[in-house]
Amino acid sequence: MVVLQTVLNGLLTGGLYALIGIGMALVFGVMRIVNFAHGALIMVGMYAAYFAFTLLGLSPYLGWILSALLLFALGWLLYRGLIRPVMGQSDFMQILLTTGVWLALVDLAQLLFGADYRQINLGIANAVVRLGPLRVSSGYLLSFFAAAVVIGLVYAFLYRTELGRDVRAVAQNREVAPLMGIDVERVSAVAFALGAACAGAGGALLLPLFYLYPTVGDPLLLRSFVMVVLGGMGSVEGAALGGLVLGVAESLTGYFWTDSYSQVVDFLLFLAILLVRPSGLLGRQRA
Amino acid sequence: MSGGRRWLYAGSLAALLLLLLVPLGVQNAYYLEVLFRIFIFAALGLAWNLVGGYAGQLSLGHVAYFGVGAYAFTLLTLDLGWNPWLGVAGGVGFSLVAALVIGSITFRLRGPYFTLATIATAEILRLLVLNLQDFTRGAIGISTPPLFPGPSADRAFYLAAVLLAAVAYAFNLWADRSRFGYYLMAIREDEDTAMAVGVNPARTKLLALLPSAAITSLAGSLYASSFHYIQADYIFSIDISNQAAIVAMLGGAGTALGPVLGSVILTTASELFKEVFQTAHLLIYGILIILVVLFLPGGVIGFFGRRSRRRAQREPGPFAGSLSGEEGSPRHSSSSST
């Protein structure tokens, strides 16, 4: 029963991870760019939701919309201003550029908001909900469902709209897509902005659960890498599954070993997948 | 020996001599400390340059060897009662073993997969050091033993950093001009073609990593001792890996002088910035790296240094072209075919 409880806790965290991982996977899938600024974008989304709550009294369970919109705009600008110029360049330069964006955003936050730990106190996130013999924190439950809604929206966009189809087409084959009359530039901007929006929404939904400080996104950046690799680089479904697997793996490590080793297990899993099954858990080996 | 080379070596030696004389004129502890940092990070950038610059493998996990050097030196000296310098040598030993293990795992991967794997290995080390409290004191950290007891420690640390940077610079000159260095550059330009003409990429990259890890480890030991205290979260911080790469890229990756120049610029800029903004002086790192990637892909050397025809031909910098492996495949084509 305790194991079941542990798995459930892991799944709830995993749902949030999944949302974050999807954002990273979208960017990698469409642009083949590993976005090292992803964790910093999550952090920006958290600060946005924090100020929406403290200044406007907007609960993060609505504030995620604001964070997502803000990050969509920021992502669009980042793409136009910084990412597009390095699109044809080596991944060496692309990684360095997004690393630069990461460092700049984190230290900008440090400069503007200081290194203090912040936290919001949300009544509805502090209750305990009983599900039969299991108990869960209402905050995790609410964030999980909100994340599921956002993931559903992203899915609906990708599979039910023309633009979403274009995004999938570019992810499938960047060279052939323009021959089909798809505007690769616009699709790339949308994908990058949407990836940032996922990070923003994810950050907002983490706010009721985590402390907030400028480097809060760094461990989440590393987790996004793990998820995207678990799912097969660039696969959105895979990254979502990767998020759930990661959540459960961390939770079980915490139970059977100690919490402090859960991230070691993450990274070992990550290296193992990279070396043994580079196409990810769901992926098929390419010929 | 050609005339150009003779001048280069003579000039380098003269510069080294001058740098070793600096403490005669500079007694101010603060300036000596800044100078120490300039040359420690120059050594780090030069060490990184062997793998990241000449071989074009973007490692963002070099802090692994820095941290191993810092911790091995400290623990061997404090807990096993070794002579501190023997502890430093022990750190190099551990780092070489770490490099063999990490290199043989990560060099099987390409492009972003390689970079991510280097980060993962460095993070695993950080978490292990943080959690194996019986050995490492965990999150509390440890006071480090002094390498240079006595009142002139500042000067001694500075001189040690200059000598380390000089050794690292010599390795870079070697990579710049030797057959081995050409193998590295061939791997950077096109790994498959390099392999086709008989270069063994896995072994060559590993051979470049060994001196790189050893120098990084020495820098870690020196830094640990000069700082008097280490703690896993900052001594294994990814910021240090990033800094090694930034220093080299800023000055000009794949050139011997580049990382030295990069460290002078970056460390000075960061000190000046620190005066204005107490915290967050790392902001300048982020902005500089963005500017370098967008406008100076060859670094400062690539921009001003048109003296070398070989480099001028490579404009706009050695990393501008696409180096990535075939899409979607993180592995070497070699490892899947054999």
Side-chain angles (χ1 to χ4, degrees):
Chain A
M1 194 49 66
V2 187
V3 174
L4 206 62
Q5 175 77 53
T6 312
V7 170
L8 179 65
N9 290 346
L11 281 175
L12 289 181
T13 320
L16 282 167
Y17 287 172
L19 174 56
I20 289 165
I22 281 178
M24 184 90 151
L26 259 176
V27 173
F28 188 82
V30 172
M31 276 173 284
R32 298 275 135 194
I33 281 186
V34 182
N35 182 12
F36 274 65
H38 200 64
L41 295 174
I42 296 168
M43 176 273 296
V44 175
M46 265 178 108
Y47 271 103
Y50 175 82
F51 287 113
F53 178 75
T54 52
L55 302 179
L56 308 175
L58 192 63
S59 158
Y61 295 114
L62 291 173
W64 67 264
I65 301 171
L66 198 76
S67 285
L69 288 176
L70 186 78
L71 266 288
F72 190 91
L74 178 63
W76 188 282
L77 289 175
L78 279 176
Y79 177 78
R80 289 284 160 184
L82 301 176
I83 308 292
R84 191 171 54 175
V86 297
M87 276 307 287
Q89 294 194 19
S90 63
D91 38 48
F92 190 111
M93 286 310 218
Q94 294 167 346
I95 291 175
L96 272 177
L97 181 89
T98 54
T99 301
V101 174
W102 161 30
L103 297 180
L105 283 177
V106 166
D107 284 324
L108 205 61
Q110 185 112 348
L111 203 62
L112 292 176
F113 312 126
D116 306 341
Y117 281 49
R118 294 159 192 261
Q119 189 189 17
I120 64 165
N121 206 341
L122 207 61
I124 52 166
N126 293 335
V128 173
V129 180
R130 289 179 159 278
L131 295 172
L134 305 174
R135 315 148 149 257
V136 288
S137 126
S138 60
Y140 276 92
L141 208 58
L142 282 169
S143 290
F144 177 83
F145 281 118
V149 168
V150 184
I151 292 173
L153 287 175
V154 173
Y155 251 79
F157 165 74
L158 285 176
Y159 287 92
R160 293 273 178 274
T161 66
E162 292 256 322
L163 189 55
R165 196 187 54 201
D166 291 355
V167 169
R168 285 184 292 131
V170 176
Q172 212 168 61
N173 195 324
R174 217 182 153 78
E175 275 72 48
V176 176
L179 304 180
M180 307 292 132
I182 294 172
D183 183 351
V184 175
E185 273 299 316
R186 182 156 146 266
V187 166
S188 298
V190 166
F192 195 85
L194 196 61
C198 288
L205 295 175
L206 285 170
L207 184 65
L209 315 173
F210 282 26
Y211 282 106
L212 168 61
Y213 47 93
T215 51
V216 66
D218 295 5
L220 294 167
L221 168 69
L222 298 171
R223 286 197 179 89
S224 321
F225 295 153
V226 182
M227 284 181 258
V228 169
V229 167
L230 274 178
M233 297 288 268
S235 153
V236 170
E237 294 85 351
L241 181 71
L244 293 176
V245 170
L246 195 65
V248 173
E250 285 186 1
S251 183
L252 286 175
T253 317
Y255 174 65
F256 284 110
W257 202 0
T258 95
D259 257 344
S260 37
Y261 283 109
S262 56
Q263 267 206 293
V264 176
V265 172
D266 286 357
F267 288 121
L268 289 176
L269 207 64
F270 172 75
L271 287 176
I273 293 279
L274 267 184
L275 293 169
V276 179
R277 200 171 162 74
S279 53
L281 292 175
L282 288 183
R284 262 168 288 154
Q285 295 283 352
R286 288 175 201 229
Chain B
M1 192 186 276
S2 72
R5 257 190 223 200
R6 199 173 306 140
W7 278 113
L8 178 72
Y9 293 146
S12 301
L13 274 177
L16 175 62
L17 221 68
L18 261 170
L19 287 171
L20 291 176
L21 292 175
V22 162
L24 292 179
V26 180
Q27 311 278 347
N28 180 314
Y30 169 71
Y31 289 130
L32 279 174
E33 201 227 304
V34 173
L35 285 168
F36 168 74
R37 242 178 301 148
I38 285 179
F39 286 100
I40 279 289
F41 285 112
L44 273 182
L46 286 161
W48 180 90
N49 203 25
L50 292 171
V51 175
Y54 289 104
Q57 308 296 310
L58 179 51
S59 159
L60 290 179
H62 255 59
V63 76
Y65 315 112
F66 189 83
V68 166
Y71 267 92
F73 149 70
T74 305
L75 295 175
L76 290 173
T77 308
L78 288 183
D79 290 351
L80 298 185
W82 289 21
N83 174 292
W85 289 101
L86 211 58
V88 171
V92 172
F94 276 109
S95 286
L96 289 176
V97 173
L100 283 174
V101 175
I102 293 176
S104 48
I105 296 172
T106 56
F107 283 139
R108 295 169 65 187
L109 303 164
R110 280 191 181 195
Y113 305 90
F114 168 77
T115 307
L116 294 178
T118 58
I119 297 176
T121 47
E123 277 292 299
I124 289 174
L125 280 176
R126 178 180 70 83
L127 292 162
L128 287 179
V129 170
L130 202 59
N131 288 311
L132 293 172
Q133 294 170 5
D134 296 343
F135 294 107
T136 63
R137 327 283 200 276
I140 306 165
I142 328 173
S143 295
T144 54
L147 275 172
F148 304 104
S152 50
D154 291 338
R155 263 173 285 173
F157 272 116
Y158 163 77
L159 292 176
V162 168
L163 286 174
L164 181 61
V167 171
Y169 179 72
F171 269 105
N172 276 255
L173 278 186
W174 171 58
D176 220 23
R177 277 135 217 280
S178 65
R179 173 180 287 266
F180 178 72
Y182 292 138
Y183 287 172
L184 292 179
M185 291 182 235
I187 291 170
R188 175 180 74 200
E189 299 307 328
D190 188 336
E191 190 158 340
D192 292 326
T193 311
M195 198 152 52
V197 297
V199 176
N200 179 344
R203 209 184 56 199
T204 312
K205 287 187 280 189
L206 202 55
L207 274 176
L209 180 63
L210 291 177
S212 177
I215 295 162
T216 308
S217 174
L218 288 167
S221 304
L222 273 180
Y223 188 87
S225 180
S226 85
F227 210 78
H228 305 303
Y229 168 80
I230 52 173
Q231 201 267 3
D233 277 326
Y234 86 86
I235 219 78
F236 278 99
S237 160
I238 190 171
D239 287 341
I240 294 176
S241 296
N242 288 340
Q243 204 168 339
I246 294 171
V247 155
M249 291 301 297
L250 176 61
T255 67
L257 202 55
V260 183
L261 250 164
S263 180
V264 171
I265 298 171
L266 192 71
T267 312
T268 316
S270 131
E271 282 305 309
L272 293 176
F273 212 72
K274 222 187 272 181
E275 306 262 302
V276 188
F277 307 102
Q278 306 294 306
T279 55
H281 59 280
L282 288 174
L283 178 59
I284 199 162
Y285 291 14
I287 293 171
L288 274 175
I289 196 80
I290 292 171
L291 292 179
V292 165
V293 171
L294 290 182
F295 304 112
L296 280 180
V300 175
I301 297 247
F303 186 69
F304 292 108
R306 297 275 165 81
R307 285 169 306 179
S308 161
R309 239 171 254 128
R310 188 157 51 86
R311 253 164 235 130
Q313 282 165 1
R314 278 210 302 262
E315 255 188 322
F319 298 95
S322 180
L323 307 170
S324 53
E326 56 275 40
E327 280 210 352
S329 161
R331 302 282 291 273
H332 285 295
S333 41
S334 63
S335 51
S336 53
S337 60
T338 49

